[in-house]
Every structure is written in C-alpha cells, then in structure tokens.
C-alpha cells in the first residue's frame, strides 16, 4: 500500500476528527500518501478528494463533527455506485481506504474490498452498537453529555419533587441509556434489548415516592420507545406527571472527551498499520486494552451482546 484515503460516513460522532487526524498523521509518518474524501461515499463517487498534509489536520483533535463531513449515500448501496467508487480510487492510484462510521458504513467498506480496494473500518458512532470492540468512538462523549444533562434536570426535579423521563439516542442499542443511567443514578432504564412493563415501572415509582424519594429519573433509549409515550402511560397508570426531555442531536456534538480522543488516535494509527501489513476488510477495535482487527463480514453479521451484568447492577443500585 502506497497511497490511502480516509472518509467519514453515516451519523457523525465526537472523535471522528481525532481519528482522521490519526490516520493522516500516521500515514505520513510511515511514508504513505493520504487523501481525504469529502462527504463520505457520496464524495467518493463524485471524486471529491483532496491530498492531506500534516497541517490539514491541525487544530481538529478537540473538535466535534467531522472536517471531512458525512453523508448517508443511497447510490453507494447499488453495485454500480460501488464500482464507480472503486474506479475513482483506482484512477488515482489509491489502494487503501479507511472508513470511519457505523454499521452501514462498514457494509460499504466490505463491498469495496471485494472490488480489490484494501479497506479498514473504524467504529465511529455514539451508539456503541459495533461488536468486537469494547467502545466505539463518540460513545464516551455522548454518555458524558447525557450525565451532565441529568445532573441539571435533577436540580429542578428535586426542588419540585417531580419525576423526569429522559429520552436518549440508541435505535437498536441501549448502551447510552445503560451507562448514563448507571452513572447518574437513574431509577429506571428502558432499553430495546430488555422487555419491560410500564405498569410495573409506574407502581415502583409510586412506592418509591411513598417511601421518601423526592424525585426520579426514567431513562429511555429511543429504540425502546418515545419519552412522551412513556410519560403518558405513567400518568394514566398512577397519576404522576413526569416532565419529558428529549436530548436528541445534542448528544452528537461538542468536544470529544479524552477517552474518545485516545481511542480514536489508537484505532486510526492501528488501521494504517493494518493496511501496510496487507490486511483488508477488517474492523479495528479495542478489547480489554488490546488492539484487534476483526473481519467486517463477522462484525456486520453479529449483534453486540447486551451487558446484562451492568444492567442488573444499575437495577440493584437504583432502589
Ligand atoms: O448515530 C446513530 C444515531 O445517533 C442513532 O442513535 C439515531 O437514531 C440516529 O443516529 C439519528 O441520526 P440522523 O438524525 O442523523 O438520521
């Protein structure tokens, strides 16, 4: 591999810039040429690439978003779109591509590898829904944002002796709700992986208020239901009227935490080294402190196991 490109794709996440920086600077360090692709796979199809140097990635490690911008590209889901993307890379003599994104972005990288381009996937998503890595880039920051919001909500909820339903992101994965719930002492955590009964949730809230609780936080991952619906059910069931906060895209912005910057730097450098060793179609991850490359095929066909132990811990501590 002599020349590589890097792109960000799908929903953005904090730390993507740190990952781009790591890919560019490591590639240059090892003597490779490196190109940035603008707007994900759409930019690839449109040949929207620019050569990167050390300064192109200066002053970005601390920024949220992605300087390369991102897109969800329908055209690239077709074999014609994929061939066009591969051809753009071949025409430019680029033989390796680092894709930073989530599940959908990985599928694209897998297709390109079958067309002869060496690819590496970096897990860039706040959802933490990519298996074979303990954490994805952006997750730590998103959880911190949720915890910070709940701290603020607690102040006003306690003053008014109210309860609060907080809806967080996570279409298929409850990890943001789980980690933020445990870290902020939420009373109830509703996630798509675990069935729940809202009548029981309401009853528990009522009992807790009777036994001296002054406020309560119910955290719901968007994949488990809408915050408004959860609150309505509780009101119908027991008369308590929780206030609803939907945190939405706030969770995807802002400066990445040091954990996300470190993770992005490690994985970005690892991806470049993997390409130089001739590896392709791998997802770069970190498991118990160790850098690992796992076949993208395996990654996209495996559901990340839910951390039941942590869920039970949160339950035990939330009485
Ligand atoms: O990045 C994943 C995610 O944050 C999901 O949890 C959420 O449902 C989705 O992105 C929303 O993204 P968008 O509004 O960009 O489609």
């Amino acid at each position: 591999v002599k020349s590589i490109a890097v792109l960000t794709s799908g929903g953005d996440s904090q730390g993507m810039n740190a990952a781009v920086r790591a890919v560019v600077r490591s590639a240059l360090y090892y003597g490779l040429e490196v190109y940035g692709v603008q707007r994900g796979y759409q930019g690839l199809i449109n040949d929207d690439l620019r050569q990167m140097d050390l300064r192109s990635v200066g002053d970005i490690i601390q920024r949220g978003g992605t300087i390369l911008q991102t897109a969800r590209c329908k055209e690239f889901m077709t074999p014609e779109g994929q061939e066009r993307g591969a051809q753009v890379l071949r025409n430019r003599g680029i033989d390796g591509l680092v894709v930073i994104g989530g599940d959908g972005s990985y599928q694209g990288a897998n297709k390109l590898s079958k067309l002869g381009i060496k690819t590496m996937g970096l897990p860039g998503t706040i959802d933490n829904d990519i298996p074979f890595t303990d954490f994805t880039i952006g997750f730590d920051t998103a959880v911190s944002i949720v915890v910070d919001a709940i701290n603020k909500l607690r102040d006003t909820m306690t003053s008014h002796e109210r309860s609060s339903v907080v809806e967080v992101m996570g279409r298929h994965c409850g990890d943001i709700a789980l980690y933020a719930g445990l870290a902020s002492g939420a009373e109830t955590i509703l996630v798509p992986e675990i069935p729940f009964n809202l009548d029981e949730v309401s009853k528990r809230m009522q009992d807790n208020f009777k036994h001296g609780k002054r406020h309560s936080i119910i955290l719901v991952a968007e994949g488990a239901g809408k915050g408004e619906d959860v609150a309505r059910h509780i009101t119908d069931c027991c008369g308590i009227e929780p206030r609803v906060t939907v945190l939405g895209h706030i969770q995807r912005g802002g400066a990445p935490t040091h954990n996300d910057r470190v993770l992005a730097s490690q994985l970005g450098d690892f991806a470049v080294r993997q390409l130089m060793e001739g590896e392709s179609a791998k997802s770069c991850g970190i498991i118990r402190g160790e850098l690992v490359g796992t076949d993208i095929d395996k990654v996209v066909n495996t559901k990340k196991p839910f951390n039941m132990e942590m869920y039970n811990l949160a339950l035990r501590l939330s009485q």
Side-chain angles (χ1 to χ4, degrees), residues 167-214:
E167 183 189 310
V168 298
M169 278 189 168
R171 257 178 303 187
H172 311 293
C173 180
D175 275 18
I176 295 179
L178 175 61
Y179 280 71
L182 178 56
S184 61
E187 201 171 87
T188 304
I189 301 171
L190 305 178
V191 293
E193 293 91 340
I194 309 286
F196 53 88
N197 178 326
L198 287 178
D199 289 349
E200 279 168 19
V201 170
S202 311
K203 167 97 184 34
R204 187 155 170 247
M205 276 177 77
Q206 226 176 358
D207 287 350
N208 283 341
F209 267 96
K210 266 188 214 144
H211 292 109
K213 268 219 169 189
R214 301 269 64 91

Side-chain angles (χ1 to χ4, degrees), residues 13-33:
S13 71
Q14 307 92 331
M16 276 186 164
N17 276 329
V20 170
R21 171 180 178 270
V23 170
V24 169
R25 294 229 169 132
S26 291
L28 293 170
Y29 176 83
Y30 295 120
L32 306 179
E33 264 186 11

